Amino acid sequence: DVQLVESGGGSVQVGGSLRLSCATAGFAYGGTFCLGWFRQAPGKGREGVASISRDGTKTYADSVKGRFTISQDTAKNTVYLQMNTLKPEDTDMYYCAAIAPTRPGWTECPLQQAAYNTWGQGTQVTVS
């Protein structure tokens, strides 16, 4: 079974930075896959933030473009989300998600929650 474990959340001042990590276990990096970061506020739906494919194609939500960067280190089986210039509206629980293999025809990894079938437990980010 694939397991995802997020870390790196915390409290930060407006304009600050955080780097989230998602350690993956049991994940087949040799095949096609998508890894994504999502966030969710209490009582709201889960919003896609960024995603990355096996070949490194990255997709970002408009709300984080230019501020957040997703990356992966396959040697460490880890995907990262570098978050800069943080705003109060970035306060949320952040989740790592995965799907492997990907669906036929995908040219980039989607930011829709329903596309992913494996989720981590989440890490809280608070910006104030």
Side-chain angles (χ1 to χ4, degrees):
D1 290 346
V2 176
Q3 293 184 332
L4 307 174
V5 179
E6 302 95 333
S7 62
S11 296
V12 64
Q13 293 183 337
V14 173
S17 299
L18 281 175
R19 189 177 79 158
L20 306 183
S21 299
C22 174
T24 69
F27 194 75
Y29 280 94
T32 60
F33 63 81
C34 283
L35 292 166
W37 284 99
F38 290 74
R39 61 187 182 186
Q40 185 173 24
K44 295 188 177 180
R46 201 162 286 188
E47 174 193 12
V49 174
S51 65
I52 189 166
S53 67
R54 178 189 176 189
D55 66 2
T57 300
K58 303 174 184 180
T59 305
Y60 295 97
D62 288 343
S63 58
V64 306
K65 283 181 181 176
R67 300 189 299 122
F68 291 11
T69 302
I70 189 171
S71 62
Q72 59 184 333
D73 186 336
T74 54
K76 295 183 178 180
N77 294 336
T78 301
V79 61
Y80 303 98
L81 185 68
Q82 177 67 43
M83 306 186 295
N84 299 328
T85 319
L86 284 161
K87 305 175 181 180
E89 51 264 42
D90 294 319
T91 295
D92 270 325
M93 184 71 79
Y94 283 71
Y95 296 90
C96 180
I99 182 167
T102 59
R103 301 287 186 259
W106 283 5
T107 56
E108 62 181 24
C109 292
L111 294 178
Q112 287 73 42
Q113 175 183 351
Y116 295 80
N117 58 13
T118 302
W119 295 84
Q121 83 290 347
T123 185
Q124 178 68 38
V125 171
T126 302
V127 185
S128 61

